[in-house]
Amino acid sequence: HVQLVESGGGSVQAGGSLRLSCAASGYTGWRNCMAWFRQAPGKEREVVATIVTGAGSTYYADSVKGRFTISQDNAKDTVYLQMNSLKPGGTAMYYCAARACSRSGYNYWGQGTQVTVS
């Protein structure tokens, strides 16, 4: 059973930075796909960034390219999202998600961590 626990959210002024962490446990397999999603009030959930934890290949939504960085620490089974130059539009609940890369949809989700940009 996979568990994902996010941390690092908070309140920050526009232009500031935050680093989110997603600690995974009960995770098996060498190549896995992990992602950060966000959902703002009244809006649909959207993917922010993804990473293949074995290969390290990444994807970013256009809205965060050049400002956000997704990374991994395999020794700690943790995935990070470094968020720089935050904008008020970045206010949302941020969720970590995981799946086997052979699957089409994410089937493991964390509880979310709130990010508020003012």
Side-chain angles (χ1 to χ4, degrees):
H1 180 66
V2 176
Q3 286 187 315
L4 304 174
V5 179
E6 302 100 329
S7 61
S11 296
V12 64
Q13 291 188 337
S17 299
L18 283 174
R19 188 176 81 157
L20 306 183
S21 299
C22 173
S25 62
Y27 209 28
T28 61
W30 173 71
R31 186 179 295 274
N32 293 291
C33 288
M34 298 190 70
W36 286 97
F37 287 77
R38 67 185 179 187
Q39 186 167 21
K43 295 188 177 181
E44 292 188 355
R45 185 173 57 196
E46 61 176 356
V47 62
V48 174
T50 69
I51 187 167
V52 179
T53 57
S57 54
T58 59
Y59 161 86
Y60 296 94
D62 287 344
S63 58
V64 305
K65 278 181 182 176
R67 299 186 298 116
F68 290 13
T69 303
I70 188 170
S71 62
Q72 59 183 322
D73 184 334
N74 289 332
K76 296 181 179 179
D77 287 330
T78 299
V79 172
Y80 303 98
L81 184 68
Q82 178 67 44
M83 305 185 294
N84 298 328
S85 302
L86 281 161
K87 302 177 181 179
T91 294
M93 186 71 79
Y94 284 71
Y95 297 92
C96 177
R99 63 179 172 94
C101 292
S102 57
R103 288 180 58 93
S104 60
Y106 289 89
N107 54 331
Y108 296 106
W109 293 86
Q111 81 287 352
T113 186
Q114 177 68 39
V115 172
T116 302
V117 185
S118 59

